Each structure stands twice: as structure tokens, then as C-alpha cells.
Amino acid sequence: MSGETEAFVPLTPGEVRSYTCGPTVYDFAHIGNFRTFVFQDVMRRYLKSKGFRVIQVMNLTDVDDRIIQKSAAAGVSIREYTDKYIQAFLDDRRALNLEPPEYIARATEHIDDMVKLIQRLTAKGFTYTSEGSTYYRIAKFPAYGKLSKIDVAGMQTGARVDMDRYDKDNARDFALWKAPKPGEHFWETPIGPGRPGWHIECAAMALMYLGDTLDIHSGGVDLTFPHHENEIAESEAATGKQFVRYWLHAEHLLVDHEKMSKSMGNFATLRELFSHGHKPSSIRFLLASVPYRRQLNFSPEGLQGAASSVERLRNFVLRLRTEKFPEGISPTMAERAATAKDEFDRGLADDLNTAQALAAIFDLVREANTAMDRGEFRQGDAAAVLEALETFDAIFAVLRDDDAEKLRSLGIEPASASLSDAEVETLVADRQAARKRRDFAESDRLRDKLAERGVILEDSRDGGVRWKRK
RNA sequence: GGCGCGGUCGCCAAGUGGUAAGGCAAAGGUCUGCAAAACCUUUAUCGGCGGUUCGAUCCCGCCCCGCGCCUCCA
């Protein structure tokens, strides 16, 4: 609200009540949308790692003009129409390793709550009706504009204000409840037949699940105005209390330096990226690696770079797990692991500076690799370093989960799909035997054969070999 | 026009009043039977102009450029 970074102090110690503006389920979500959802996931994972009990509510807007229009055009019910996209959205979330919120609230299942909230506002004189619709009278709420810092008075006469087909007292007033147009689906309620306005759903559901004052409310920057401003107007007028303690808005994902959006047609869905062979971990890493308040220009090169970064991290973990180091521990390494964890945390603690946090991890990776190459790394250090990596992955969640099973279910056919672990082991053993005979022609033939199936071999100094799937 | 975000190495991106993290990419090298992986080396004076200061990329002013919101939008 202040527009500045502030120390986070939840209303109830140890507990974070958080509301997330979810998608309008009229179509598949695109990765611009997921930029925000990944940010919210990083935030909730970080808060949890700091010991907070997180209660996150995410809404699904499953009724609006587009949905009404499209479902009618498709000749199916709103429910049926939105079910499909809700399912797809939840699948996409799983693919990206987004933790499920504690509550997922569907707008059409909370019509009663919205009606009650509107009635409360009416009782306090914040509403008026016109042609069967109910509107919010912003003139009654002097604080209007405090979040987006919009000067309402100055806007009213502007050329670009709503040329509305509705009859409102003031162009800035917004609909709480919309009267049905002929043939449209509607709900019969005490305030008349119709359907909810957009903002009332979030206000009603947030208050219902989380109480009058929530700790965190987050969403994309484009929601700041009018959506969040209107939510404030609705809820604070009704409760008389502060609605949200901390607002966090994620910046946009850009494509060729323009906002990715459905209307621009410059969007990509996750399933499209998957079908081009991109892994969920690459996408998640890319979206998470740029701090949320920075615009992120999306490009295939960037995605490739993210994939390489994840690869480097995974190679490192593989090395930690498979290489044999001299017994004992080296005090300096244990210390390095500890400071890396501290630095990682320091980055995140500063308004979720993921870029800074990442640097701490990569520093550790390089230094540990160097120690290994020099023979200064000890077996006892592996645990400490792995622990630091786990701290990292508790937030970034990119180290696992690109297993063949998962990729296949996402429509990515791994090159190595046709080879089982046992088959790989057999071929690897054959090659080792060939190497022992110094039959390098045969050895290389087997290695190439494995490579064709997406299996990469790494020989180690001690004559051993480890393998991984591409 | 109002409000907001940003302009740092080829790309992505931290950061601090005292001469600039990290990742990706590129080139050369080390290791290796060859690879792979890893490591080492090389690549920036921080949009422009003024000002404050012993000293500014970081503070102030002006200017230029990009993006967004102000209408549905993560």
C-alpha cells in the first residue's frame, strides 16, 4: 500500500492468511498468467520454510461475460464449459510444481456470500440500483483510489472513461450485481435475478475464508486497478476494517517487449511449450529466477538458458550423490554450505529477491566443484552441501520431477523412453567391459547407442561411470 | 495527460556512496583413450547531461528511450 518494501508482520503471529487472484477459466491459462502463480508459489513456499502456517485461498472466476458468451456459443452449460478449463489449469499447476492452495474457491459456489455482502453494503448506503443491476457508489468511499493512487475526481471528465451501456450515476461506479440480459444464465436471489460483478467475488470469498483483514493479497499488476481497488472499496465499506495488510503485485511477462496477453495473440500455453519439448522445470526456473517485481521478457533463448542452469544444478547433485570422496570432513566446506544457505535466505527475505538467492547457490556449486576437482572435498561434506541444495529446492522445486513418467503424461516423449533402467545398466556394463579391454571402438559404439536413446554417460577419474537421462 | 515499473557485460540479471554478484552464450586452456561433467582464463565503468560529495552506477535535477495501468486482463 505504501509502495515501499516493508517488514512483514502478520496479523496473527506465525500465521499467514493469503488471498490469490486466480484465473478466469474461459480458456487455457498462458505462461504470463503462470508467472504470477509461480511467484505466489515461491512466496508461499518461502513463508512455510520460515515456519509460518500458510492459509492460502485462490479463487476461480467461473462466470463472466466471456464465459457466458463462449459457453452459449458452444451450447454447453457454464459449469460444463468451465470444468474443462479448471481441470486443465489444475493439471498445469501440478506440472509446474505449484503447491495446492488450502482453499480453491469457485465463484459460482459462493453466490450467497456475494449477495450477503452486497446486502451489507446496501444497508450501509453504499449501493444503488438501476435497471435491475446494483452498483457501488464510490462517492461514498472517500479512500477510493488509495491503492492505485488514482485520483478519481480528475478522471471523471476524461475522454476515456466508460462509454457504458449501463446507466450509472458516476462513470467510475462499478457493478456489484448485473441484471441478466435476455436468454442469459442467471441466479435468482433476494437482490434480484442476475449474476455477480467481477470484484465482489474476491471480496466476498476473501472475507468468508480469511476474515475481515488478510495479511497478503497478490496478483498481477494489471489487477491493481480497478480490481483490487474495488475489492478494497467493497470490503472496507462493509467491515469498517483494513482489508489487506500487504499487497504484492507481480510484473508482467513480456514477449518482444510487449505484454503477453490473449488479446495481443502473443501468448504461449504450457501445453504448447511442452509439445515443443520444453520441460516444466525449465519454465518454472525461468519464471522464478527473475524477481517478481521486474518485467520478464520471455524468449526461447531465455528458456534454453534456464534449462542449462537447471542442468548444471542437477549435474552437481548427481556428482554429490555418486562420486566417492575421501573420508572425513573439511571444516571450510561445511562452513561454505552454511553461509550459502544464509545468503540464499537473505536474498529471499529481501522482497523475494530470487536472483540474489540463486547467486548464493551457484557460488556454492562452483566452490564445491572446485574443491572436488582439487581432491579437497570430503565424503562428510556431501550431506551439508546436499542440505543446502535441498533448502534451495524447497523453494525453487526444479531438481526433480522431470522423470519420464511425468513428461510422458505432459505429452513430452523422452528420448530414452524405450530403455529401462535395467537395460541401460546392462549396456553400461558392456561398455565398461569393452573399456577394460581397451576396445574403444566398441566402447564408443555403445556410448553412441545410449546417446541415441537419450542416455548420457560420464566417466569418472577412478574408472567408474555414472549415467543420466537427457 | 495522470499513476507505476524499468534502462548494468552478446542475452538474462543482482548490487553498493569508495572503482560492478550470479546464470546463459562465446573463445582459449586443464582433466579424459575420446567424450561428458567439472575447473581455470578472457569479455562492462553501470541510457545522456548537469549538480551534491574528497569520491556516484548507486543521492538530487533535467532530458532521452522501453513497458504497463488508467476499459476485460496474471
Side-chain angles (χ1 to χ4, degrees), chain A residues 56-76:
Chain A
Q56 183 189 8
V57 177
M58 179 181 71
N59 73 292
L60 295 172
T61 301
D62 61 348
V63 54
D64 83 329
D65 289 333
R66 286 166 300 187
I67 290 171
I68 289 172
Q69 223 171 60
K70 291 197 170 206
S71 61
V76 298

Side-chain angles (χ1 to χ4, degrees), chain A residues 51-104:
Chain A
F52 288 105
R53 175 171 168 248
V54 175
I55 307 169
Q56 183 189 8
V57 177
M58 179 181 71
N59 73 292
L60 295 172
T61 301
D62 61 348
V63 54
D64 83 329
D65 289 333
R66 286 166 300 187
I67 290 171
I68 289 172
Q69 223 171 60
K70 291 197 170 206
S71 61
V76 298
S77 68
I78 288 178
R79 189 85 192 177
E80 200 177 330
Y81 182 80
T82 55
D83 272 347
K84 173 183 165 192
Y85 293 111
I86 288 175
Q87 195 49 53
F89 176 64
L90 296 178
D91 286 346
D92 285 353
R93 285 186 61 95
R94 270 191 292 276
L96 285 184
N97 269 177
L98 299 174
E99 291 186 343
E102 279 62 31
Y103 299 98
I104 295 182

Side-chain angles (χ1 to χ4, degrees), chain A residues 94-346:
Chain A
R94 270 191 292 276
L96 285 184
N97 269 177
L98 299 174
E99 291 186 343
E102 279 62 31
Y103 299 98
I104 295 182
R106 212 166 154 160
T108 55
E109 289 171 1
H110 293 78
I111 300 288
D112 286 352
D113 298 306
M114 299 179 210
V115 169
K116 281 182 192 138
L117 181 57
I118 294 171
Q119 287 174 321
R120 281 174 80 184
L121 289 169
T122 299
K124 290 193 171 188
F126 283 95
T127 72
Y128 61 93
T129 59
S130 171
E131 295 176 12
S133 293
T134 304
Y135 296 96
Y136 187 99
R137 191 188 301 281
I138 62 166
K140 286 278 288 180
F141 189 74
Y144 192 81
K146 66 178 175 179
L147 174 67
S148 53
K149 299 177 177 61
I150 277 177
D151 179 3
V152 192
M155 302 296 293
Q156 288 170 9
T157 50
R160 295 198 56 206
V161 173
D162 277 356
M163 25 216 156
D164 219 318
R165 49 286 181 205
Y166 301 105
D167 184 19
K168 298 189 288 191
D169 287 4
N170 180 308
R172 285 278 155 204
D173 289 346
F174 55 92
L176 295 165
W177 189 255
K178 297 182 176 181
K181 294 178 196 143
E184 269 184 11
H185 184 271
F186 63 88
W187 282 263
E188 195 61 67
T189 73
I191 57 172
R195 61 195 167 84
W198 176 32
H199 322 293
I200 196 69
E201 66 170 270
C202 285
M205 296 192 288
L207 296 179
M208 193 223 119
Y209 284 97
L210 298 171
D212 290 350
T213 298
L214 6 165
D215 295 306
I216 294 175
H217 193 132
S218 61
V221 273
D222 49 358
L223 296 184
T224 311
F225 187 90
H227 188 51
H228 291 157
E229 200 66 71
N230 291 351
E231 284 183 49
I232 292 173
E234 292 167 342
S235 52
E236 297 193 355
T239 67
K241 294 180 194 156
Q242 181 182 29
F243 177 44
V244 170
R245 294 166 64 80
Y246 306 96
W247 288 94
L248 276 70
H249 290 109
E251 258 298 349
H252 287 306
L253 187 73
L254 309 181
V255 176
D256 290 333
H257 306 287
E258 287 192 328
K259 175 183 172 181
M260 175 179 284
S261 70
K262 279 280 156 58
S263 49
M264 297 288 278
N266 61 353
F267 62 93
T269 61
L270 280 184
R271 46 208 68 217
E272 283 164 10
L273 294 176
F274 293 157
S275 74
H276 287 122
H278 294 295
K279 294 176 181 178
S281 57
S282 313
I283 299 167
R284 182 175 166 106
F285 185 91
L286 177 64
L287 297 181
S289 63
V290 176
Y292 76 96
R293 290 204 295 140
R294 238 185 124 95
Q295 294 175 339
L296 194 172
N297 196 39
F298 180 82
S299 68
E301 296 74 29
L303 198 50
Q304 188 47 52
S308 300
S309 298
V310 172
E311 187 68 19
R312 175 169 164 82
L313 261 13
R314 289 184 180 178
N315 284 335
F316 179 64
V317 172
L318 184 68
R319 186 176 190 187
L320 272 174
R321 292 218 166 100
T322 56
E323 199 160 310
K324 288 280 166 277
F325 307 105
E327 288 306 316
I329 59 164
S330 59
T332 48
M333 208 57 236
E335 199 182 304
R336 272 302 293 128
T339 56
K341 273 172 69 170
D342 286 350
E343 287 295 301
F344 179 74
D345 182 75
R346 220 161 56 85

